[in-house]
Amino acid sequence: MIDPRRLRILRAVADHRTVTAAAAALYLTPSAVSQQLAALEQETGHTLLIRSGRGVTLTAAGEILLGHAHAVLSQLERAEAELAAYAGGAAGEVTVASFATGIAEVLAPAIGRLAQDHPGIRVRVRDAEGDESLPMVLDGEADLALAVEYRGAPRDDDRRLARVPLYAEPFDAVLHCGHPLADRGRVELAALADSDWIGQYPGNPCHDVMLLACELAGFQPRLTHSSDDFRAVVALAGAGAGVALVPRSALRGMELKDTVVLPVAGPAATRRVFAAVRRGAESHPLLSPVLEALARAAAGLSTG
């Protein structure tokens, strides 16, 4: 009989590609993870992992078992959801990991709505960049993620996650008011190819969006200044340090001293925001009201 707890460990190792990283995500010691994996190999009678240096890869048998692990763990999530519904469990705590703008634009209004409609549900917020929140859900550190599409993100059909699309928004160009193109109604990204650029650090989904948009416009941006704080990015643009692409909602209510905000002509860089839970948990009586409140708070946020 295969222990489903060991299937969680196998999935964590497949996600993180090292025993040490998987152990940290599961709050276990590396030796405990190795022992559980060895026991799983004994249970199945197959070698599941190939160790090379510090990393590990799954064997063909490991990949087969991983596919079943996704199905088994999703079914266990559904079982927990149904049992919670049977017990009338619409009271408890939900941990939500979200990027900062998502907290301000969607999560905070949703919490206000939940306080009125579902006072038994308490939401605990974890600030996490768009590429950090999904691993937190998969590792059990969070129940729900408010995330953005990014290069390397789990696909829509990923068997580990259930996703709810929330909104999409364009990135606008932020220029110093004295920039030669500041008086235009819209700006072509190619016209900014020779400018210094201000952007996010590699790994931040907005960094990927900026690079892709510039690549489609036919150039690589000369990234001179880096910050993951949009207020800092806008302040640098206002100081004439360079140009930037910033999500439209991040500019809402921000002081735009000495800057001009212009829509991008042609195909626009876009941030797509969604909520995600572990597959099978979307019907949990604690999570489904939160998902509904997020969808209602996000209604009307998509802009063109």
Side-chain angles (χ1 to χ4, degrees):
M1 181 71 69
I2 297 174
D3 188 334
R5 292 173 297 181
R6 291 173 182 148
L7 294 180
R8 292 188 189 277
I9 292 174
L10 178 69
R11 185 163 77 175
V13 171
D15 286 341
H16 294 280
R17 298 297 177 183
T18 72
V19 168
T20 300
L26 296 171
Y27 299 99
L28 296 172
T29 64
S31 62
V33 168
S34 296
Q35 289 170 8
Q36 292 297 316
L37 290 172
L40 184 59
E41 289 183 327
Q42 286 186 334
E43 288 174 344
T44 60
H46 292 278
T47 299
L48 303 174
L49 300 169
I50 299 173
R51 293 164 176 81
S52 56
R54 296 182 179 179
V56 294
T57 57
L58 268 62
T59 63
E63 292 287 356
I64 291 171
L65 185 59
L66 180 64
H68 288 287
H70 294 329
V72 168
L73 296 175
S74 294
Q75 192 59 41
L76 287 174
E77 293 281 357
R78 292 188 187 95
E80 291 181 6
E82 289 187 19
L83 287 171
Y86 174 78
E93 184 175 271
V94 175
T95 299
V96 181
S98 172
F99 58 102
T101 308
I103 293 173
E105 295 291 325
V106 180
L107 184 52
I111 289 174
R113 192 185 302 275
L114 285 166
Q116 294 180 352
D117 299 342
H118 300 276
I121 298 178
R122 302 181 305 279
V123 177
R124 180 169 170 255
V125 179
R126 299 278 302 275
D127 190 333
E129 290 297 338
D131 59 335
E132 296 173 343
S133 57
L134 295 178
M136 290 173 68
V137 168
L138 291 172
D139 293 336
E141 294 181 58
D143 302 302
L144 189 151
L146 200 60
V148 300
E149 295 286 1
Y150 60 93
R151 200 174 293 182
R155 292 160 43 99
D156 287 350
D157 59 356
D158 192 295
R159 296 172 65 185
R160 301 168 298 172
L161 295 167
R163 296 168 38 143
V164 176
L166 294 178
Y167 67 95
E169 61 173 333
F171 283 59
D172 290 323
V174 181
L175 286 65
H176 182 261
C177 60
H179 192 283
L181 302 179
D183 59 352
R184 305 245 182 127
R186 306 174 75 83
V187 65
E188 297 271 358
L189 281 187
L192 302 173
D194 293 330
S195 299
D196 289 335
W197 280 76
I198 311 156
Q200 287 66 49
Y201 286 101
N204 187 310
C206 291
H207 177 89
D208 288 344
V209 171
M210 176 193 67
L211 287 184
L212 180 59
C214 293
E215 287 171 10
L216 293 174
F219 70 97
Q220 280 194 320
R222 185 169 62 244
L223 187 60
T224 306
H225 309 286
S226 298
S227 174
D228 287 333
D229 187 329
F230 289 123
R231 291 170 300 178
V233 169
V234 170
L236 287 169
V243 301
L245 285 177
V246 178
R248 187 165 292 173
S249 66
L251 295 168
R252 207 169 284 138
M254 189 184 296
E255 182 180 357
L256 301 172
K257 183 179 179 182
D258 296 329
T259 61
V260 172
V261 177
L262 298 178
V264 175
T270 303
R271 175 160 74 171
R272 303 187 184 280
V273 180
F274 61 93
V277 298
R278 291 182 292 278
R279 187 171 293 277
E282 60 270 27
S283 59
H284 193 286
L286 288 178
L287 293 178
S288 58
V290 178
L291 289 169
E292 181 182 352
L294 290 171
R296 292 174 66 186
L301 282 181
S302 290
T303 55

